[in-house]
Amino acid sequence: AIQSIRASQRLDSRGKPTVQVDLKSSHGTFRALVPSGASKGDYEAVELRDGDPSAFQGNGVTKACDNVNRILGPKVIESGLDPARDLKKIDELMIRLDGSADKSKLGANAILAISMAAARAGAAAQAVELYEFLAGEGASPVNEYVMPVPFMNVLNGGDHSGNPMAFQEFMIAPTGAASFAEAVQWNAETYATLKGIVQDKYGMAATGLGDEGGFAPPIGHPEEALDLLVAAIAKAGHEGKIKIGIDPASQSFFQKDGYNLGFKTGKPNILDAAELGELYRQLLDKYPIVLLEDPFGQDDWDAFSKFNESCGVELVGDDLLATNINRVKEAVQKHACNSMLLKVNQIGTVTEAIAAAQEAYSAGWSVFVSHRSGETTDDFIADLTVGLRTGHLKSGAPARGERVAKYNRLMDIEDDLQLRKVSVRYAGASFRSAHH
Ligand code: PGA
Ligand code: ZN
């Protein structure tokens, strides 16, 4: 049983406060820290911030911590629920205590920190690794584990950097590697090569990093970014074996009158959904792109459905779905996309995120696990992606400790499975169907 739950205010990778929870049981003390987005959608659960301008520009989370220490923690302990068996009931209890539809009363950040720490306590009580425990929660068959393809965001734009680029993320995906460790090596080599190319072309100052560890050179057109990636992949010797993913995060440049690709430049460049769709089609024709996330805004169902009719790549819903099972159901019914982005803090509990993933799987979709642009060194999502056999995840560039923490944990897991002689394979080119 749980003996104590304590929350403290700590920092995320942008220097903004976040919630840390230490949960103590007879098996040890288990810590979790929650991440935070920049290009957040309107359908996400609400992270509670103090709004007191005298501290951290209003971004403090002392109220959320108080809600853990005074309400959620005591009630969860009092319930006697055992995280090893009853993680879902613990989550349900917290959802009831909050009482709102979007966790705005006690805070999704407060609730999620307990949920993640409780999962770790549950794994320890069962004397299994977190990924094994989460596989059990997700009822994934565990006769074979699948290591994910790491989609690494090596060029940052949108709300994650200060360059003119409207599109937020350009990712490299080593689908041709033989193992996760080799995939990480290829990406790291390509990243280092890309740095040289960026420096030669745009100068030393252009090698500064965006929020997710990618470079942010002064480019504006997506073709400039994709040309850089293609050149880096070839020069690093991985042509044909590393594919590309893009997340324009188009909600962040959606305005009343359309999609403004000039939103960071002061010079409007507005496209309607059909024109934007045409731009995507040209990019998909020209470059080795295998994944496209949030090509349209969070309410642009028609544009999504129309594009999905003839889309040959993985079409991922992020702001569109917000890891919310009801949004997933609506999207399935509308044929709006074919993959769900999974961010635990969009919904605010571990078991609700898993339920949304299962809903996506049962529609024949894939699931893509994601970090947030504001992260911590908490590596929970590494275990989650293995536990749910999602076949791919994104955790930024192979740089910055909070990004690398996840990739390093995944290399630990791959080693651990091999040492224990548990069957494990690298998802590779079949990353979309790893679960099925
Ligand atoms: P965010 O970006 O964490 O800033 O929301 C990530 C994404 O859009 O996928
Ligand atoms: Zn996204």
Side-chain angles (χ1 to χ4, degrees), residues 154-232:
V154 294
L155 284 174
N156 294 181
D159 284 338
H160 294 170
S161 79
N163 64 1
M165 175 63 69
F167 284 16
Q168 182 176 278
E169 304 175 15
F170 295 86
M171 295 172 272
I172 50 175
T175 54
S179 67
F180 183 78
E182 186 173 58
V184 168
Q185 182 185 331
W186 289 6
N187 272 355
E189 290 165 357
T190 305
Y191 180 74
T193 306
L194 177 63
K195 181 174 183 176
I197 294 173
V198 167
Q199 184 170 331
D200 287 349
K201 210 161 171 187
Y202 303 100
M204 189 80 112
T207 58
L209 303 184
D211 287 0
E212 296 191 347
F215 304 109
I219 52 176
H221 198 281
E223 290 207 9
E224 293 174 275
L226 291 161
D227 286 339
L228 285 172
L229 290 198
V230 166

Side-chain angles (χ1 to χ4, degrees), residues 231-249:
I233 291 166
K235 197 170 175 202
H238 303 305
E239 200 174 2
K241 295 177 291 185
I242 295 184
K243 306 289 187 190
I244 293 172
I246 30 183
D247 178 11

Side-chain angles (χ1 to χ4, degrees), residues 37-40 160 168-169 212 247 249 293 318 341 343 370 372-373 394:
S39 61
K40 278 183 287 200
H160 294 170
Q168 182 176 278
E169 304 175 15
E212 296 191 347
D247 178 11
E293 178 180 326
D318 172 12
L341 197 75
K343 290 168 166 166
S370 173
R372 298 309 301 253
S373 51
K394 62 171 184 173

Side-chain angles (χ1 to χ4, degrees), residues 274-321:
E275 290 164 336
L276 186 59
E278 196 41 49
L279 172 61
Y280 294 134
R281 274 181 218 291
Q282 284 166 14
L283 299 178
L284 295 186
D285 279 348
K286 186 166 172 196
Y287 298 97
I289 294 168
V290 294
L291 179 154
L292 178 58
E293 178 180 326
D294 274 1
F296 305 104
Q298 64 194 3
D299 296 304
D300 210 343
W301 290 105
D302 289 346
F304 263 99
S305 300
K306 194 153 192 307
F307 194 80
N308 193 32
E309 276 172 22
S310 60
C311 170
V313 301
E314 184 175 59
L315 189 56
V316 185
D318 172 12
D319 292 343
L320 180 78
L321 306 172

Side-chain angles (χ1 to χ4, degrees), residues 83-94:
R85 285 194 320 263
D86 294 323
L87 184 62
K88 186 154 184 277
K89 287 189 183 145
I90 290 173
D91 287 347
E92 284 165 356
L93 169 63
M94 294 194 287

Side-chain angles (χ1 to χ4, degrees), residues 332-394:
V332 168
Q333 190 230 324
K334 290 178 169 156
H335 302 284
C337 54
N338 57 42
S339 181
M340 181 191 93
L341 197 75
L342 193 169
K343 290 168 166 166
V344 278
N345 83 320
Q346 279 181 326
I347 189 68
T349 65
V350 173
T351 56
E352 283 174 291
I354 292 174
Q358 284 169 327
E359 189 69 28
Y361 282 148
S362 63
W365 290 11
S366 50
V367 173
F368 186 33
V369 166
S370 173
H371 64 155
R372 298 309 301 253
S373 51
E375 264 293 335
T376 74
T377 48
D378 189 305
D379 55 12
F380 190 92
I381 60 167
D383 287 71
L384 186 65
T385 197
V386 174
L388 298 183
R389 301 208 309 180
T390 64
H392 54 334
L393 96 161
K394 62 171 184 173

Side-chain angles (χ1 to χ4, degrees), residues 59-78:
N59 288 313
V61 291
T62 62
K63 283 182 195 159
C65 290
D66 277 351
N67 290 341
V68 171
N69 293 331
R70 295 197 193 155
I71 302 168
L72 293 161
K75 289 286 186 197
V76 167
I77 295 167
E78 189 189 298

